[in-house]
Amino acid sequence: MRIALFGLLLFIASANAAPETFFPSSLRIRRGSSVGDQEISALSTNEQTGTEDNWSSYLELSNNFRGDFTIQVPDGSWESLNVHWNMKGEAYSSQRWEMFVRNFDEGKWTKIGDNTDAPWWVWFSQSVPVSWNGWLSSSNKIKLRFQAANYVDVCNLDYLAVEITKIVPPTVYHPSSVNVVAGAFTGNQPIEVLSTNEQTGSQ
């Protein structure tokens, strides 16, 4: 009996890189307004708790606000989207505030959370995983929509971020040496021939 070994390799799965956090780079206000002169960069630090009111740390959103936040991420294969935000405002029973993620595959906004459990005018943080695909555009953008359901009052938004993980492909290794313990090699092919898997059928 003759056995031929044409290719041998070992896959070692690399651990995924640590999750990376990205913040909005732009805001398009669809209705209502953002009160004050705070820059959008104020949303990159989650620092307000309880009933704190550091005016420079948040955006104040008013007049039945609806706004679309754009987050640009680097090239790469990304997975495991989580959306984080910290807000303070009216109770849900008085004024509903909702967070959406743009589903680019389906061309629609998908709601991921609201202020149902938020106390009245106390900072409330949420972290919501997004389980479906389509949240990353072909130009590597993630879009979030934050909106009110009426004109009752304003809402303060202290923090808005996404956390995503880059997919790391497995590393491939090939044999560098062989220790023959029984039998023998025929021919003089170097061990490097095992690094290509190119023979099929009865070749």
Side-chain angles (χ1 to χ4, degrees):
M1 180 175 65
R2 180 183 178 190
I3 298 177
L5 184 63
F6 295 115
L8 179 64
L9 53 82
L10 175 66
F11 282 99
I12 303 228
S14 300
N16 280 342
E20 298 183 43
T21 303
F22 300 94
F23 307 99
S25 56
S26 65
L27 166 61
R28 182 175 182 182
I29 297 176
R30 300 287 186 172
R31 70 182 186 219
S33 61
S34 177
V35 181
D37 56 0
Q38 292 90 337
E39 299 291 336
I40 197 171
S41 58
L43 300 179
S44 63
T45 53
N46 189 1
E47 55 191 357
Q48 298 291 284
T49 60
T51 58
E52 291 178 339
D53 191 34
N54 183 354
W55 171 254
S56 63
S57 296
Y58 59 80
L59 301 186
E60 183 173 299
L61 312 173
S62 66
N63 296 321
N64 197 25
F65 178 86
R66 173 185 286 168
D68 297 343
F69 296 87
T70 298
I71 300 171
Q72 182 73 54
V73 303
D75 290 340
S77 298
W78 298 95
E79 62 179 359
S80 304
L81 172 66
N82 285 272
V83 182
H84 309 279
W85 69 99
N86 187 29
M87 59 158 289
K88 183 176 73 170
E90 291 287 328
Y92 181 86
S93 58
S94 298
Q95 186 177 34
R96 187 171 67 251
W97 286 88
E98 301 170 312
M99 185 69 72
F100 297 80
V101 174
R102 183 68 177 175
N103 187 327
F104 293 98
D105 287 351
E106 299 184 7
K108 66 179 185 180
W109 293 94
T110 300
K111 181 179 172 179
I112 62 167
D114 56 36
N115 60 328
T116 299
D117 299 320
W120 182 83
W121 285 103
V122 174
W123 288 105
F124 182 68
S125 290
Q126 293 192 72
S127 296
V128 178
V130 175
S131 59
W132 38 266
N133 296 322
W135 44 263
L136 187 64
S137 75
S138 58
S139 56
N140 292 314
K141 291 181 173 64
I142 299 170
K143 288 194 174 183
L144 307 176
R145 171 171 286 179
F146 191 54
Q147 67 179 35
N150 57 41
Y151 288 87
V152 168
D153 208 336
V154 301
C155 174
N156 299 335
L157 187 63
D158 169 54
Y159 185 68
L160 183 59
V162 298
E163 186 179 71
I164 55 179
T165 303
K166 182 172 286 188
I167 300 173
V168 179
T171 303
V172 178
Y173 297 94
H174 305 281
S176 59
S177 64
V178 60
N179 182 23
V180 179
V181 296
F185 282 130
T186 59
N188 58 359
Q189 296 92 333
I191 196 170
E192 287 77 15
V193 299
L194 298 181
S195 63
T196 55
N197 187 11
E198 55 191 1
Q199 299 294 298
T200 61
S202 58
Q203 290 179 329

